[in-house]
């Protein structure tokens, strides 16, 4: 490994630290304090990607996990833009900035182009692996919403408004989603 | 006040809450945890704007304070973009998104157009009031950097690299900046 | 600006930092952790003072905003005394200590006497401006109570016990208060 | 135990919760975030009171520990007043408010008068037990200052300015204090 | 006091600091963030041990308070093992590790053997004092559960499943427990 | 996927949440507050495992990443035992409890035995993949130590005492470690 690659890796380590510190703004906008970091969410997605992805023998585990790990990495440079920011900036501008961020983060690593390509594949839902990680990204968020409701949050109703469109391609994700909806209902009834 | 204005005001209250929860990402990128919120920073700028602004009899206090209060309000919808995000998005795209955010936040208030205009004036440093609030925005950040160094942070050296260009138009801001640099030096020597 | 004024300003900056760190004890006494700081509350009051105050053409914006900014500044030296402390210390002793704190904080600034006078005017509700800021101080607290309830808190019922006596002089404050009560009721029904 | 005593105990439990949430303002005034609570400090004093107090066979362990446990309990109602607040309120007013708080907290308990008397004894350093707990209250604060310096704080120099007047009556407290000063020096040299 | 004892005391001070930082894992496993520390819980138990223990004239206050103060001290070296850890490690292995931790913490103090013996007495519920502190350890946890529910937590139902077996030997603890259950019910009804 | 597998997956999701909340006790024992969670550390290890592991064409990416993701998962049930706990419990008891935890967490998943086997392989450093993840586990901790020192911590010297024994098998890990040591030295000189 040459000097440039070592330097690129050390810079990447610094960005990993940033992801540990960056709170997920979606929760802040619902009034929650002391919320999960982007790194914590990404770990959750990666862990689900391992155990759920392994249920599908036709998927490549290495590709699935790599995608889960890099899927939010651009946020180290851009921050975790809330939905309102995406709307105000426009989808294209956001995508382009994220792509530049991925190039900046990974571009000088030996296999850097591959990580940027994996992120593009994910962003465009361009493969079964990408669609699974996208479904798990949403599932992990829903599981976290349930956890915050258990810890008391009551301003998260909009997360439970759309019951369809969850993982049609992946019955296991669908089953997990249904369990979360059912648990959410059970908690509401008991409250 | 009509119904629409009440609704606009209640939405604004929700955004104020968001600014209390949103951490200033610049500090996170330097590895600090549990940092000040955008609301805390904005209060600091407003307090400085009061006591420093009042030293200049030719400035309108009401305009200065209004500018200080709204100067970061777009962040309620966009988040606190770190410097790297501004670079990757481009200045124009960022400015345009912020302007849309200001319109969304204030547009339906009776005097909403005035607040958006104040923010534009600030963003473009288009008046003496705007330039003072900009100088105090930077001064407040430097004072916070010093406070974090007192609390232990050591990764903030870049904040102290540029000693010039601080408030030439405002000798009082210059004097306060010099005091912060001197205090920073004193702490370094004693460490 | 002479040396004494610079020194007074630097001391004031240190006190602003303290207000960022000082939690509002009223929330702690209701069992909430990780609550807003005095600086965050003060920012909320100042932001409301701008947009609500501007609805009243007979009010001086500069005076209203200055009052909002300084209204809790004595807490930098005294702390945020809970209601029980005020009762145990006595109103006169508390007022006198706060007045001394204001003198200590602002006394050596060029226009320091004016800030102390503004604070006295506020404390005694001695003008329409002062009464508006007092009404907004209470409104901001109620909006925060609602936000904590949305995030899950259930021990804040006493905040909603007194529906009258809110801003008779200011119909807009009254309308906002009623909206908060209605929203509180809606959340309770849905829970 | 009658109904009144049960009620008094349940109220006391609520105040214990408050002490868990109340940060020690002295640290906040030095710019530290996320600091120890009054309950944590009180636990530290009680633990030291056990192991240090037991070195003195002429002291009554039950009285020493009771004093350590109640010494800051009035803060549940008054808050943790910083040194500047004591100065601005006056020592007599503060003492009187704390005495009233102790009566309110303990007055209706079967042995309540005894706890109030223990607190008065402590406040006035009126016995060897009281002087030991006072010395340990200060020692615990110094140990915490050292811990914060180890975690990075650099604005705590004033804690180390007065090397004398520590525990002349108690050579063991003196020895522990000297160890803390030596450790502080060692850390400074190595930094 | 010889050199060895001073050193043992300074090490103990460091462990007290650790107990201030160590969160109670039981709450984390129920999804709560920013929870009480072991030191805060221990303070709560000690405070209850004082006021409840004093209701029993046949109990030795010094022994009761010493037990309350040391009952969780082994956690400074072992951490706060959740119930699942105790199950997976086995009760005997956990007890033995805790006993070794107590020896390490207190072994070289002049009266160290006594503290270890007090902890053993507590662990084995081998005396009326030990059984009272055990009952208060549980009561304090229940009071904290109620406080978290007031602050919004809803995932703590299992704490309220077993209404019997609380302090049969101590009617006062029983009365306080019943009050907590009643208050919990009242809150549920009002929610 | 049968019902049992869905249930096993939902339980696993709950444990992922626990890993987000569980602080790394090693940092707490050095006096740091508000430290990274186990989930954040695991994300860091997984991200390094991706970019560093990919430098070795003979390693299986899927196996490396799976190992990185599961390597600390037993802590969801056991907690993050500090080094002192491992010593007091004994290595064998700790290993056995962790193995039981892994069985409990993964045992009922379709490919559960494979995850347990991967964890055993990791624990025993029984393959090149396992040794790389172990080296990266240590590297990630060192990078975090450096980050905490940048944020101010000064009690982490023991992390920098052993310069050898880092990744002899993996020159890239060695190069990254050397960079961290060099950076640590640079910061010390400049302080």
């Amino acid at each position: 490994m040459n000097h440039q690659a070592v330097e690129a890796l050390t810079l990447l380590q610094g960005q990993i630290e940033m992801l540990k510190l960056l709170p997920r703004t979606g929760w802040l906008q619902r009034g929650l304090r002391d919320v999960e970091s982007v790194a914590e969410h990404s770990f959750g997605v990666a862990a689900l990607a391992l155990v759920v992805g392994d249920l599908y023998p036709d998927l490549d585990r290495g590709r699935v996990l790599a995608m889960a790990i890099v899927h939010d990495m651009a946020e180290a440079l851009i921050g975790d833009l809330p939905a309102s920011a995406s709307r105000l900036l426009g989808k294209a501008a956001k995508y382009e900035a994220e792509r530049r961020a991925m190039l900046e983060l990974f571009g000088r690593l030996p296999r850097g182009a591959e990580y940027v390509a994996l992120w593009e594949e994910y962003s465009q839902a361009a493969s079964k692996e990408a669609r699974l990680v996208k479904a798990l990204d949403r599932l992990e968020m829903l599981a976290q919403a349930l956890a915050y409701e258990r810890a008391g949050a009551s301003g998260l109703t909009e997360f439970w408004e759309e019951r369809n469109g969850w993982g049609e391609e992946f019955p296991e994700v669908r089953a997990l989603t249904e369990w979360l909806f059912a648990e959410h209902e059970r908690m509401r009834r008991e409250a």
Side-chain angles (χ1 to χ4, degrees), chain A:
Chain A
M1 192 170 60
N2 55 26
H3 180 71
Q4 196 197 27
V6 172
E7 199 179 80
L9 279 169
T10 60
L11 288 173
L12 194 65
Q13 276 192 316
Q15 305 304 339
I16 292 168
E17 171 71 12
M18 174 61 176
L19 294 175
K20 295 182 183 183
L21 297 175
L22 199 61
R24 298 252 290 163
T25 38
W27 308 120
L28 301 180
Q29 284 195 323
R30 273 83 183 182
L32 304 187
R33 287 194 173 238
D34 193 15
V35 301
E36 61 166 351
S37 65
V38 174
E40 285 171 331
H41 162 70
S42 290
F43 172 72
V45 175
L48 290 175
L50 174 62
V51 292
V52 177
D54 277 358
L55 301 173
Y56 297 88
D58 59 327
L59 294 184
D60 181 85
R61 190 203 268 172
R63 292 187 75 236
V64 168
L65 295 186
M67 238 179 241
I69 289 165
V70 305
H71 87 284
D72 270 348
M73 276 231 172
E75 301 188 2
L77 293 177
I78 300 196
D80 181 41
L81 297 179
S84 48
S86 308
R87 179 168 47 76
L88 291 162
L89 285 163
K91 276 203 168 184
K94 190 195 166 202
Y95 177 81
E96 197 46 43
E98 286 177 344
R99 208 183 56 82
R100 280 191 212 120
M102 289 301 289
L103 278 169
E104 203 167 305
L105 289 167
F106 292 102
R108 292 182 303 155
L109 284 175
R111 292 172 65 173
E114 187 183 337
Y115 306 129
V116 181
L118 273 171
W119 173 84
E120 286 175 333
E121 186 181 324
Y122 166 80
S123 291
Q124 297 165 7
S127 65
K128 190 172 176 188
E129 280 95 343
R131 288 188 297 276
L132 178 65
V133 177
K134 266 200 178 296
L136 295 175
D137 179 47
R138 210 175 152 202
L139 180 70
E140 211 278 336
M141 183 193 67
L142 202 69
Q144 184 62 65
L146 186 71
Y148 285 140
E149 291 185 335
R150 192 170 284 136
S154 63
L156 306 178
T157 47
E158 71 194 276
F159 284 89
W160 306 97
E161 277 163 11
E162 186 43 57
R163 205 173 187 129
N164 296 314
W166 288 84
E168 281 84 354
E169 193 175 357
F170 308 100
E172 280 74 13
V173 176
R174 178 81 217 163
L176 287 168
T177 307
E178 272 166 18
W179 185 87
L180 291 171
F181 271 89
E183 185 69 8
H184 169 74
E185 287 304 321
R186 195 188 60 71
M187 273 170 55
R188 270 180 63 86
R189 274 196 312 275
E190 288 189 8

